[in-house]
Amino acid sequence: QVQLVESGGGLVQPGGSLRLSCAASGSIFSISNMGWYRQAPGKERELVAAITTGGITNYSDSVKGRFTSSRDNAKNTVYLQMNSLKPEDTAVYYCNAVVMTRAWGTWRDYWGQGTQVTVSS
């Protein structure tokens, strides 16, 4: 019913930048919080950034000051601008959105397929 399509991942050198995008589509009545998670090999998935409908953001301490999340509510799209990338940022990045699919429905979590971000020289 709801699809999250991510783009912008890839290979980048340390100190470089990438911009991830995630567009939600399908049976969407309303979208609440959106966010970015990542999972490195052998580690649990962790929250990277979260953003409310009004644009209030929260970041993991490990990315604070380097990453910036924003959203375009008219396009149902959330962004993650990643600057000063480090090798330890290497992970699969997942987009998340809390979506109501119809009026007076329930809020549910939806996830993107994940996009690989590799930071290496």
Side-chain angles (χ1 to χ4, degrees):
Q1 291 185 314
V2 177
Q3 299 83 43
L4 302 181
V5 181
E6 299 166 317
S7 63
L11 175 65
V12 66
Q13 293 180 299
S17 298
L18 284 174
R19 181 176 172 86
L20 304 183
S21 299
C22 173
S25 62
S27 301
I28 299 173
F29 178 77
S30 183
I31 300 179
S32 184
N33 296 341
M34 303 184 80
W36 294 94
Y37 291 73
R38 68 185 182 187
Q39 187 167 24
K43 296 185 178 180
E44 294 185 358
R45 187 175 300 185
E46 64 172 344
L47 176 68
V48 177
I51 183 168
T52 69
T53 302
I56 300 174
T57 54
N58 184 42
Y59 300 97
S60 166
D61 288 340
S62 63
V63 307
K64 195 172 299 181
R66 299 187 297 119
F67 291 10
T68 303
S69 182
S70 60
R71 63 190 289 171
D72 186 337
N73 292 334
K75 297 180 179 179
N76 292 329
T77 300
V78 63
Y79 306 94
L80 185 67
Q81 179 66 46
M82 303 184 293
N83 299 324
S84 302
L85 283 162
K86 305 175 181 179
E88 49 263 47
D89 294 319
T90 297
V92 177
Y93 284 70
Y94 298 90
C95 176
N96 168 261
V98 181
V99 180
M100 183 180 292
T101 58
R102 71 183 202 280
W104 305 107
T106 58
W107 294 101
R108 296 177 178 176
D109 283 316
Y110 291 87
W111 295 87
Q113 290 294 125
T115 184
Q116 178 70 47
V117 172
T118 302
V119 185
S120 177
S121 60

